[in-house]
């Protein structure tokens, strides 16, 4: 027992940090109905600002904390609410997910561009000396962190129960539509909740930094610990979220002790929050996680994309792909091949994001699994094309396993589950011998007749074109029509007895399959794949660049591939690569609700739609005006 | 009873009681009206009948089976079809696709392969499907617009698409929520004619929410009136014309 106590103490103190993050998340989610994936990134950003002020500028700790937590973070909160989200009132759930992911990518990218990617260790914030209780050493810093978290929890609960603003906030949480009637300005309350939530994120970021160091990714991932905790409270209950946070902290700390003897499980402690998240999602009965405020009218939803098979676009694309090598120096051929393969990758993601309005945040993991499975099958002697198809099929059950429990609940939970799975895969599965083998590198051979770069380029083009034909064919089947219909009007779809869950799962699996095939091609292109090739963060960057470019058409996938892969090859300055993710993040935020990203603006927008709508409004108001006299007449 | 029956329905939204003790019957072969001033709870009643809302009290029956807790999709399978007060079209699909999507649902089990267009349905079934789609397009008079996207149509045409889509699913209970709102008088009269023919040709239970009193009084055989979520009157069109309560509820509202 005694050997566990030190771990318990570590667990409680990290749990306290998670609790702060979780409370912030719950406050903004319940009041605004928007799940802030950038919650941890806000905390990360505030932590950087705090330590810059404190260490580099030399401002006293208290003042630096006040600036970071009470000034900068709430300002970011206001910005998120007023600038980014105000435009989305009534928008679809997937566009608000994309906006907050764009913010995450942009903030993380900015931190890396300014401060560099390395972890920076920081001086402890509180005295690290210890005292002994019952034979166990406890650090003063640990006690202080827990005290701060408990005080914050108490403060928050008093705020909700005792203050005018707190009661108003509860009214908004209870029923947004009714608050207007009792004189509460729901907008102002929501803005305030964003300030409050961001301040909590900042506080947890500042307190967490001494534990893990200033690391833009690790701190950004704090949001995940917060998810894990917050879902235990159904994303709404502060007390349960707090309990969940301490539970997650303790479980993670105890598991460190347990896995110390099992090297392949090194990643387990940091994966505990995801496991929790996952188990809660899987085990939840349908209905426990209904999305807040998802009664959004269909006015803002609109699916795009054609009803017809784009023969011409595909032909042009093929022709272009075939002449490109003759225009390029051989050195650039690798970039060209990678671009081509990424077109398929983005088209597969677009099938999901654009057509079915679902978000996958683990596409990079599917790609990695595709490549490693291909590698394993090759060593077992399976011929290339068959192995590639099998590698694709191998991820389908994995995809289904993640997707089914989440899709059953809602789009937000699919995003959460895939995000969780992405991180889990990277920290746990990638380390296991089954994925990368014992050396951490999977060698992927090219098919024998296509060994040289030029030949492989043509091979890749052929596979990609086949993949694109499949994707475009799906769009014109009943499945494609159901998915487009669902984006337009889910209620009408139910009323004609179509159950869209099967469609959503299918399109998710197809998308995973194609992502794995693209991953296999990429592996063959560079001939190997290792742990660092595609981290889970890549998935987020891919999503943002695709949304910015246009997720609903072939053109968008091509543009996204060019922006991501060809861009850095043309503009080789280091600042281009540094700021590239920031640009993608910002692009996704700005264009999340555009009909079809940047490529959507290459054609005149469909104005007819707007015209029809305003005509309807006009007719409706005229109808109301006519109503009274006609009634009198009739009676 | 064959048709729809809702017994003693109560529906609360937080503090607001939107429906309180509403009972109605919509048997097959009859056009039943549900009227009441703005905000009376008519659409809420439809949502309860269609399974989009779970009532806080009361039961809903279809063909005498209790369906109070079943989902909208499930009720649709049992033959409930509806239109929406605020048009709910598949705006990016063409008129034909809107209707065909509903018509297909009848024939294909929506398994994975079927969604990709691989079905064991006979050729004849698919042909029948297409014929039904084309017949409905014809019936509601949208022949010239069949290949236009639904989002590009006027409201009047949009309502016709919704009606055709609902019928394509071959329902036995049809709920229409203000089908004539946004239509001009000519379109509205035409709509009435379509409904009449529909009733002649099929054994349907039709429940109609409508503000156009001429349409209601001429179509319905029995009418329920609710106000502030409570039933205030029921009877034949003639009873309604003579009823002082109904006059008061409507005219009070209209003047205010
Ligand atoms: N989801 C909901 N949440 C809260 N209140 C609701 C909800 N749906 C309806 N209401 C309220 O219930 C009452 C009845 O609304 P309903 O839409 O059923 O009226 P209606 O009779 O259809 O009116 P109209 O003639 O304007 O269509 C209204 O006060 C409305 O604000
Ligand atoms: Mg209504």
């Amino acid at each position: 027992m005694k050997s566990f106590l030190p771990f318990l103490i570590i667990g409680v103190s990290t749990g306290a940090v998670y609790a702060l993050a979780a409370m912030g998340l719950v406050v903004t989610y319940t009041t605004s109905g928007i799940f802030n994936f950038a919650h941890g990134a806000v905390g990360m950003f505030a932590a950087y600002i705090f330590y810059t002020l404190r260490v580099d500028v030399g401002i006293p700790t208290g003042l630096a904390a006040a600036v970071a937590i009470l000034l900068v973070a709430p300002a970011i909160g206001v910005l998120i609410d007023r600038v980014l989200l105000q435009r989305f009132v009534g928008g679809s759930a997937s566009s608000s997910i994309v906006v907050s992911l764009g913010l995450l990518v942009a903030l993380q990218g900015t931190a890396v561009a300014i401060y560099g990617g390395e972890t920076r260790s920081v001086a402890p914030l509180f005295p690290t000396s210890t005292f002994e209780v019952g034979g166990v050493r406890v650090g003063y810093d640990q006690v202080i962190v827990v005290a701060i978290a408990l005080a914050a929890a108490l403060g928050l609960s008093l705020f909700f129960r005792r203050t005018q603003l707190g009661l108003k906030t509860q009214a908004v949480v209870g029923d947004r539509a009714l608050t207007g009637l009792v004189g509460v300005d729901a907008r102002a309350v929501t803005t305030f909740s964003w300030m409050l939530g961001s301040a909590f994120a900042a506080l947890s970021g500042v307190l967490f930094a001494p534990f893990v160091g200033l690391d833009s990714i690790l701190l950004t991932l704090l949001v995940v610990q917060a998810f894990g905790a917050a879902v235990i409270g159904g994303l709404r209950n502060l007390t349960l979220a707090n309990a969940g946070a301490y539970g997650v902290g303790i479980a993670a700390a105890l598991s460190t002790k347990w896995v110390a003897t099992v090297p392949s499980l090194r990643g387990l402690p940091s994966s505990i929050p995801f496991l929790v998240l996952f188990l809660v999602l899987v085990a939840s009965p349908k209905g426990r996680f209904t999305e807040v405020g998802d009664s959004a009218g269909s006015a803002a939803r609109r699916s795009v994309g054609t009803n017809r098979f784009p023969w011409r676009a595909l032909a042009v694309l093929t022709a272009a792909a075939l002449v490109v090598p003759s225009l390029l120096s051989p050195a650039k051929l690798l970039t060209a091949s990678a671009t081509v393969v990424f077109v398929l990758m983005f088209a597969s993601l677009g099938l999901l994001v654009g057509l079915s309005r679902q978000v996958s945040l683990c596409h990079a993991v599917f790609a990695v699994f595709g490549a490693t499975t291909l590698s394993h099958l090759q060593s077992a002697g399976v011929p290339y094309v068959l192995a590639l198809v099998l590698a694709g099929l191998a991820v389908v059950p994995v995809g289904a396993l993640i997707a089914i429990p989440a899709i059953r609940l809602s789009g937000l939970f699919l995003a959460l589950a895939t995000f969780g799975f992405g991180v889990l895969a990277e920290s746990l599965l990638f380390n296991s011998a089954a994925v990368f083998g014992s050396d951490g590198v999977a060698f992927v051979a090219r098919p024998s007749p296509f060994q040289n770069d030029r030949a492989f380029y043509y091979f890749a083009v052929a596979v990609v074109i086949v993949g694109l034909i499949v994707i475009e064919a799906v769009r014109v089947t009943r499945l494609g029509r159901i998915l487009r219909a669902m984006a337009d009007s889910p209620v009408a779809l139910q009323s004609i007895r179509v159950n869209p869950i099967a469609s959503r799962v299918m399109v998710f699996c197809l998308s995973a399959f194609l992502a794995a095939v693209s991953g296999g091609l990429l592996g063959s292109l560079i001939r190997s794949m290792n742990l660092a090739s595609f981290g889970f963060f890549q998935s987020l960057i891919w999503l943002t660049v695709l949304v910015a470019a246009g997720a609903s058409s072939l053109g968008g996938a091509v543009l996204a591939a060019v922006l991501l892969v060809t861009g850095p090859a043309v503009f080789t300055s280091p600042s281009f690569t540094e700021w590239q993710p920031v640009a993608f993040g910002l692009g996704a935020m700005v264009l999340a609700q555009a009909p079809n990203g940047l490529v959507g603006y290459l054609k005149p927008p469909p104005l007819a739609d707007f015209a029809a709508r305003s005509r309807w409004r006009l007719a409706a108001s005229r109808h109301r005006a006519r109503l009274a006299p006609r009634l009198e007449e009739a009676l | 009873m064959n048709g729809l029956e809702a017994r003693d329905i109560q529906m609360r939204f937080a503090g607001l009681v939107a429906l309180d003790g509403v009972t109605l019957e919509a048997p097959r072969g009859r056009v039943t009206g549900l009227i009441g001033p703005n905000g009376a709870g008519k659409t809420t009643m439809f949502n309860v009948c269609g399974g989009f809302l779970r009532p806080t009290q009361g039961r809903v029956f279809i063909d005498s089976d209790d369906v109070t807790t079943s989902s909208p999709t499930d009720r649709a399978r049992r033959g409930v079809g509806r239109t929406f007060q605020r048009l709910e079209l598949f705006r990016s699909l063409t008129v034909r696709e809107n209707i065909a999507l509903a018509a297909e649902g009848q024939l294909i089990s929506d398994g994975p392969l079927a969604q990709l267009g691989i079905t064991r349905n006979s050729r004849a079934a698919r042909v029948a499907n297409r014929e039904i789609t084309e017949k409905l397009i014809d019936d509601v008079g949208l022949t010239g617009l069949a290949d236009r996207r639904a989002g590009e149509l006027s409201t009047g045409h949009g309502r016709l698409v919704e009606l055709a889509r609902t019928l394509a699913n071959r329902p036995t209970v049809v709920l229409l929520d203000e089908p004539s709102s946004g239509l001009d008088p000519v379109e509205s009269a035409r709509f009435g004619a379509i409904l009449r023919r529909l009733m002649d040709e099929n054994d349907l239970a039709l429940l109609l929410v409508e503000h156009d009193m001429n349409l209601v009084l001429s179509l319905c055989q029995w009418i329920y009136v609710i106000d502030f979520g409570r039933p205030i009157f029921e009877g034949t069109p003639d009873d309604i014309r003579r009823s002082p309560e109904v006059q008061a509820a409507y005219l009070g509202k209209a003047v205010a």
Side-chain angles (χ1 to χ4, degrees):
Chain A
M1 181 64 214
K2 201 154 166 207
S3 62
F4 280 103
L5 274 181
F7 290 97
L8 202 64
I9 288 163
I10 294 174
V12 170
S13 57
T14 47
V17 176
Y18 299 167
L20 286 169
M23 283 187 277
L25 201 58
V26 170
V27 167
T28 49
Y29 180 69
T30 46
T31 35
S32 67
I34 286 168
F35 188 91
N36 185 15
F37 280 87
H39 192 68
V42 171
M44 176 276 294
F45 207 72
Y48 268 96
I49 287 184
F50 170 72
Y51 287 98
T52 308
L53 290 178
R54 180 169 178 250
V55 181
D56 303 347
V57 184
I59 288 177
T61 305
L63 188 61
V67 170
I69 298 167
L70 300 177
L71 214 65
V72 173
I76 297 180
V78 173
L79 211 70
I80 299 176
D81 179 51
R82 289 283 149 136
V83 181
L84 294 176
L85 300 177
Q86 196 99 98
R87 301 183 294 132
F88 290 95
V89 173
S92 69
S94 76
S95 53
S96 65
I97 293 173
V98 166
V99 170
S100 73
L101 285 167
L103 182 66
L104 184 162
V105 170
L107 282 177
Q108 198 270 341
T110 308
V112 172
I114 296 178
Y115 297 103
E118 318 73 47
T119 307
R120 193 175 143 190
S121 62
V122 291
L125 208 46
F126 305 116
T128 47
S129 52
T130 56
F131 60 92
E132 216 180 273
V133 207
V136 192
R137 306 227 128 251
V138 181
Y140 283 105
D141 54 345
Q142 292 172 322
V143 176
I144 296 173
V145 168
V146 174
I148 291 176
L150 290 179
L154 187 68
L156 202 58
S157 110
L158 285 179
F159 164 76
F160 278 125
R161 267 183 236 145
R162 296 286 158 81
T163 65
Q164 200 62 25
L165 192 56
L167 291 171
K168 283 184 182 172
T169 309
Q170 283 205 312
V172 174
V173 173
D175 193 329
R176 202 177 178 84
L178 292 180
T179 47
L181 303 177
V182 293
V184 174
D185 179 359
R187 284 291 339 139
V189 167
T190 307
T191 307
F192 178 77
S193 82
W194 277 99
M195 295 167 69
L196 193 65
S198 302
F200 269 83
L203 183 59
S204 57
V206 167
L207 292 179
F208 203 42
F211 289 108
V212 293
L214 267 185
D215 179 312
S216 59
I217 292 218
L218 279 183
L219 287 172
T220 296
L221 280 186
L222 186 57
V223 68
V224 174
Q225 273 83 317
F227 296 160
V231 285
I232 291 179
L235 287 182
R236 305 199 190 184
N237 183 319
L238 280 173
T239 318
L240 283 180
N242 260 294
Y246 289 100
V248 167
I250 291 168
L254 289 181
S255 69
T256 354
K257 175 178 164 51
W258 181 60
V259 301
T261 49
V262 195
S264 68
L265 286 179
R266 250 178 321 168
L268 182 68
S270 56
S271 317
I272 295 263
F274 303 101
L275 288 175
V276 170
L277 168 82
F278 222 70
L279 294 179
V280 174
L281 287 185
V282 173
S284 292
K286 202 177 168 188
R288 182 160 121 92
F289 290 109
T290 43
E291 259 164 81
V292 177
D294 193 30
S295 56
S298 54
R301 297 202 193 98
R302 177 175 38 185
S303 68
V304 277
T306 49
N307 307 10
R308 293 203 184 78
F309 194 88
W311 285 115
R312 240 188 304 154
L314 275 170
V316 170
L317 212 61
T318 314
L322 291 181
V323 295
V324 158
S326 55
L327 306 174
L328 288 179
S329 66
K332 296 259 192 270
L333 211 54
L334 273 184
T335 309
S337 310
T339 308
V340 167
V341 176
F342 264 97
V343 170
L344 181 58
M345 181 77 77
F346 281 123
S348 77
L349 191 56
L351 193 59
L352 202 59
V353 179
L355 184 62
S356 100
R357 299 289 148 114
Q358 291 176 282
V359 172
S360 157
L361 301 177
C362 60
H363 250 53
V365 173
F366 291 147
V368 169
F369 282 164
T372 54
T373 314
L374 179 60
S375 157
H376 291 313
L377 289 169
Q378 285 176 339
S379 22
V382 182
Y384 189 90
V385 173
L386 180 62
L388 189 62
V389 172
L390 289 178
L393 288 177
V395 305
V396 168
V398 180
L401 218 60
I402 310 161
I404 291 172
I407 288 176
R408 188 179 59 109
L409 298 171
S410 77
L412 170 62
F413 291 103
L414 180 67
L416 279 175
T418 51
F419 189 97
F421 178 71
V423 183
L424 190 83
E426 190 182 335
S427 57
L428 204 57
L429 302 181
F430 285 11
N431 285 321
S432 75
V435 178
F436 280 114
S438 41
D439 320 321
V441 185
F443 292 97
V444 192
R446 293 179 182 178
S448 41
F450 304 99
Q451 286 299 330
N452 75 44
D453 286 353
R454 180 172 288 256
F456 187 74
Y457 171 86
Y458 288 114
F459 177 78
V461 168
V463 176
V464 168
I465 295 292
V466 171
L468 294 179
I469 290 175
V470 169
I471 289 174
E472 294 304 326
V474 163
R475 287 185 202 272
V476 299
T477 58
R478 176 167 166 85
L479 176 63
R481 286 197 295 272
I482 289 177
L483 292 171
R484 273 184 296 146
M486 185 170 57
D488 288 337
S489 173
V491 282
L493 205 53
Q494 291 179 315
S495 79
I496 56 165
R497 70 169 95 176
V498 175
N499 177 1
I501 290 187
S503 317
R504 293 184 146 184
V505 171
M506 270 179 63
V507 77
F508 186 90
C509 291
L510 182 61
S511 176
F513 170 82
L514 290 168
V517 169
S518 325
L521 286 178
L522 279 177
S524 310
L525 180 66
I526 42 186
R527 296 210 151 95
S528 75
M529 184 125 348
N530 63 35
L531 275 172
S533 303
F534 296 112
F536 90 96
F537 211 81
Q538 278 297 314
S539 309
L540 308 192
I541 292 179
W542 293 354
L543 179 79
T544 53
V545 62
L546 180 66
V547 169
S552 299
S553 68
L554 200 50
V558 174
L559 179 60
V562 168
L563 289 175
L564 182 77
V565 185
T566 321
V570 176
F571 304 97
T572 46
S573 99
S575 66
F576 181 89
T577 25
E578 263 171 16
W579 289 99
Q580 200 193 19
V582 180
F584 293 160
L586 292 175
M589 285 192 273
V590 173
L591 294 164
Q593 218 170 19
N596 187 18
L598 276 176
V599 292
Y601 290 104
L602 296 180
K603 297 176 286 212
L607 285 173
D609 237 25
F610 283 105
R613 209 139 254 279
S614 45
R615 226 181 301 141
W616 176 71
R617 285 216 191 88
L618 208 66
S621 63
R622 252 190 264 132
H623 174 75
R624 292 268 181 259
R626 262 200 335 249
L627 194 64
R630 264 209 284 162
L631 274 171
E632 273 173 87
E633 203 178 290
L635 288 164
Chain B
M1 188 197 72
N2 271 345
L4 174 79
E5 187 184 352
R7 223 181 275 154
D8 201 21
I9 300 295
Q10 188 202 59
M11 185 73 227
R12 280 173 187 279
F13 298 108
L16 181 111
V17 185
L19 291 174
D20 195 9
V22 181
T23 293
L24 63 77
E25 284 180 11
R28 291 223 194 144
R30 180 174 95 178
V31 183
T32 310
L34 174 63
I35 62 172
N38 289 150
K42 305 178 294 293
T43 299
T44 307
M45 192 64 192
F46 265 31
N47 286 336
V48 167
C49 293
F52 296 87
L53 286 174
R54 179 96 31 103
T56 38
Q57 252 175 50
R59 323 245 28 121
V60 181
F61 302 88
I62 293 164
D63 298 336
S64 301
D65 292 339
D66 190 335
V67 293
T68 314
T69 54
S70 63
S71 69
T73 321
D74 198 44
R75 282 186 218 197
R77 257 180 226 122
R78 285 168 174 274
V80 179
R82 73 171 289 189
T83 65
F84 298 84
Q85 182 172 1
R86 275 184 58 187
L87 276 180
E88 291 282 352
L89 293 170
F90 303 135
R91 295 152 54 80
S92 55
L93 303 185
T94 64
V95 169
R96 183 176 281 115
E97 286 174 328
N98 263 272
I99 299 168
L101 199 61
E104 288 160 8
Q106 181 80 13
L107 299 177
I108 322 183
S109 75
D110 252 326
L113 291 179
Q115 292 196 352
L116 290 173
I118 305 164
T119 64
R120 259 180 304 161
N121 284 320
S122 62
R123 185 174 200 83
R126 265 177 287 153
V127 170
N129 216 5
R130 215 167 303 139
E131 275 170 4
I132 287 162
T133 305
E134 296 307 321
K135 177 171 180 303
L136 278 166
I137 293 175
D138 243 24
D139 281 357
V140 298
L142 286 172
T143 317
L145 299 171
D147 289 315
R148 294 272 295 278
R149 290 199 187 205
E152 298 168 4
L153 303 182
S154 69
T155 312
H157 290 138
R159 298 235 174 251
L160 294 172
V161 175
E162 249 196 359
L163 178 68
R165 188 183 63 195
T166 305
L167 297 177
N169 218 357
R170 279 146 275 188
T172 54
V173 174
V174 176
L175 314 174
L176 303 180
D177 198 349
E178 301 208 23
S180 85
S181 97
L183 304 195
D184 65 32
V186 179
E187 286 173 328
S188 181
R190 163 152 204 195
F191 206 96
I194 292 172
L195 293 185
R196 261 182 221 108
R197 201 174 64 220
L198 187 70
M199 289 304 290
D200 290 343
E201 291 172 4
N202 305 280
D203 184 28
L204 280 187
L206 187 64
L207 182 61
L208 182 66
V209 163
E210 184 51 66
H211 274 301
D212 180 341
M213 290 305 275
N214 288 322
L215 194 62
V216 172
L217 295 175
S218 64
L219 269 177
C220 300
Q221 283 103 52
W222 193 261
I223 298 171
Y224 294 90
V225 188
I226 60 175
D227 193 12
F228 294 113
R230 291 169 187 283
I232 57 169
F233 192 83
E234 63 179 285
T236 63
D238 282 336
D239 299 335
I240 296 278
R241 283 200 188 87
R242 285 191 296 267
S243 155
E245 294 103 309
V246 179
Q247 303 241 359
Y250 262 95
L251 297 180
K253 189 85 177 183
V255 172

